Amino acid sequence: MTHVRFIGTDGTIREVVAAPGARLLEVAQADGQPLEGTCEGQMACSTCHVIVAADDFDKLPAPTEDEEDMLDLAAGATRTSRLACQIVLRADLDGLTVRIPGEVRNMQGR
């Protein structure tokens, strides 16, 4: 199992446990986190934008060019921003910490 820490917009920390192979977006939504995922994980929007803790960011595979294009549309994007629909949990990501951004821009990229 993989533990994930969500830091809410108000600073509240929630830790959940998920099975390896689960997508972070689905785990977040099941926990009631305010990630819309308007495009249902098709990488056609940025409404599942999260900010990954710096210590965890390098554990993730590099984002694709399409993901980087969507992140260009995300409100408040940072150097460690990713789309939750593109993060597949693995055992080595145990303890992954992500922050939920304070604002979301719902713009279709395609």
Side-chain angles (χ1 to χ4, degrees):
M1 299 308 274
T2 303
H3 294 80
V4 179
R5 258 181 241 101
F6 293 105
I7 302 174
T9 57
D10 63 357
T12 303
I13 298 173
R14 288 192 42 92
E15 187 170 304
V16 299
V17 179
R23 290 201 178 271
L24 184 61
L25 174 60
E26 294 151 2
V27 172
Q29 288 175 331
D31 186 53
Q33 296 297 325
L35 293 182
E36 246 182 87
T38 302
C39 72
E40 299 179 355
Q42 299 302 308
M43 208 168 33
C45 72
S46 61
T47 61
C48 69
H49 166 228
V50 294
I51 300 168
V52 178
D55 292 345
D56 295 326
F57 186 75
D58 290 333
K59 297 176 187 175
L60 299 173
T64 64
E65 189 175 325
D66 285 344
E67 182 179 359
E68 288 179 348
D69 288 346
M70 287 297 101
L71 287 168
D72 287 342
L73 302 174
T78 72
R79 184 187 69 75
T80 62
S81 289
R82 293 296 301 266
L83 297 179
C85 69
Q86 297 303 299
I87 297 175
V88 177
L89 298 176
R90 306 180 313 257
D92 65 319
L93 292 176
D94 190 46
L96 176 70
T97 300
V98 297
R99 184 166 53 86
I100 307 299
E103 61 179 307
V104 173
R105 185 176 300 140
N106 186 3
M107 295 178 65
Q108 296 293 322
R110 296 177 202 223

